Amino acid sequence: MTAPQPTAPQPTAPAAVDRLRFGYGTNGFANHRLDDALTVLADLGYEGVALTLDHDHLDPYAPGLARRVDAVARRLAALGLGVVVETGARYLLDPWRKHAPTLLHDDPTGRIDFLERAVRVGADLGAEAVSFWAGVRPGHVAPEVAHDRLVAGCATVVAAADRAGVTLGFEPEPGMLVEDIAGWRRLRHALGDPERFGITLDIGHCRCLESSTVPECVLEVAGHLVNVQIDDMRRGVHEHLEFGTGEIDFPPVLRALADAGYRGLVAVELPRHSHAAPTVAARSLDFLRTAARQAGLDPGTPPVPVGADRSTGVD
């Protein structure tokens, strides 16, 4: 009689959580100094920030980077804010071409250098993740060439993250070479399934183009989920909307994140709302707390009163 073969151990599902940590993206505070944006978000009651490295928000190419990163790290600690680093600045690398160069361009060295800098900044800030995406394939670049360039560029960034001890969150983005969860899975496999190569999931993107429901998308990637962006959206339209103005039912989404055991930031992603940033941020947090209650979750602690002592600001 043949002895039974041992079965491979199955991964243990993360334990469900009863409270989510809400953050807000600084790309929605483009008209604020970074220190002012951090203070407003902390005063409103947010627990973290998705920090997009950009001209006015911790520019990684401006002089005195180490000193400025240290000041931001101290400020985040004083305010009790967690942080993820985002790399979607529109014109940081090229004043003429949005997001250029990407990992798909003929010369991607500028993008690779930027992502390596972002990894180092993330390490020094104690960031929970550093998030990035593929980019839009240039028309003259064949799909297979673009794919090879993406894999090679990501491998370089993964190596930098390994050296720095930083977790990467790769974001599927509508219209880019990798735009959905299936594409992220193929890319991760092509890279050899690196441990530090997780996924950044934009909740709105799930509604925009995934065939599964948004809660199903959350649970599908639960084991690799390292960063969450949250916004409302409509099917087939890539437009980041305020909560309640799109088509997403949010209590089941928040419930899915909690059931998945997700402990990272759930950061509001409204990059085109800087003109009314404090008002939109306040409204967004109220909405999310209400949705959390409806999902049977702890909505979080009340905000610190505006004007409370926040220690020394960023230089």
Side-chain angles (χ1 to χ4, degrees):
M1 181 176 177
T2 304
Q5 296 298 308
T7 57
Q10 298 300 307
T12 302
V17 297
D18 62 4
R19 189 174 72 84
L20 298 172
R21 300 164 56 231
F22 298 124
Y24 201 95
T26 60
N27 60 1
F29 271 78
N31 300 321
H32 283 68
R33 299 179 186 89
L34 178 57
D35 186 53
D36 291 340
L38 298 180
T39 302
V40 169
L41 292 173
D43 283 342
L44 288 174
Y46 282 95
E47 295 185 62
V49 59
L51 171 56
T52 297
L53 304 182
D54 209 341
H55 297 286
D56 293 325
H57 290 169
L58 200 54
D59 183 348
Y61 295 99
L65 179 60
R67 174 187 59 80
R68 291 183 290 112
V69 169
D70 181 65
V72 172
R74 286 186 280 108
R75 187 62 172 154
L76 290 168
L79 295 172
L81 294 173
V83 63
V84 298
V85 171
E86 297 281 353
T87 58
R90 292 184 176 96
Y91 292 100
L92 179 64
L93 304 183
D94 187 326
W96 290 96
R97 299 178 300 162
K98 178 182 174 183
H99 292 155
T102 71
L103 296 175
L104 313 180
H105 279 84
D106 294 338
D107 183 4
T109 53
R111 176 63 53 175
I112 291 173
D113 176 71
F114 173 46
L115 294 177
E116 290 179 328
R117 288 172 185 248
V119 165
R120 293 194 294 272
V121 169
D124 291 340
L125 289 179
E128 299 173 20
V130 173
S131 183
F132 70 113
W133 33 241
V136 176
R137 178 176 63 85
H140 70 281
V141 178
E144 61 272 15
V145 173
H147 174 267
D148 290 345
R149 289 177 178 178
L150 179 60
V151 172
C154 286
T156 300
V157 179
V158 168
D162 283 340
R163 291 192 298 270
V166 168
T167 297
L168 298 173
F170 188 92
E171 180 186 3
E173 181 87 16
M176 292 191 177
L177 187 65
V178 175
E179 65 176 0
D180 56 19
I181 292 170
W184 167 81
R185 288 193 183 280
R186 288 191 295 270
L187 175 59
R188 190 173 193 275
H189 181 70
L191 289 166
D193 297 315
E195 181 180 355
R196 294 189 183 277
F197 193 80
I199 189 168
T200 291
L201 192 68
D202 187 306
I203 296 303
H205 296 171
C206 295
R207 175 58 188 162
C208 179
L209 53 68
E210 297 284 355
S211 59
S212 302
T213 67
V214 181
E216 287 170 345
C217 290
V218 169
L219 296 176
E220 180 183 344
V221 300
H224 300 288
L225 191 55
V226 299
N227 184 29
V228 172
Q229 301 168 355
I230 194 163
D231 45 80
D232 212 340
M233 208 166 282
R234 299 187 181 97
R235 188 73 177 166
V237 182
H238 184 202
E239 181 182 3
H240 293 248
L241 302 172
E242 279 198 66
F243 302 120
T245 64
E247 299 172 344
I248 298 175
D249 183 14
F250 282 93
V253 175
L254 300 185
R255 183 73 256 173
L257 287 167
D259 289 345
Y262 178 67
R263 289 173 167 78
L265 290 176
V266 180
V268 178
E269 175 81 347
L270 291 173
R272 297 183 180 180
H273 290 69
S274 292
H275 63 284
T279 300
V280 173
R283 202 156 53 212
S284 298
L285 187 56
D286 286 344
F287 183 97
L288 289 172
R289 284 179 166 162
T290 298
R293 289 189 193 94
Q294 293 170 346
L297 303 173
D298 179 348
T301 56
V304 175
V306 174
D309 183 16
R310 289 299 192 180
S311 188
T312 304
V314 175
D315 294 341

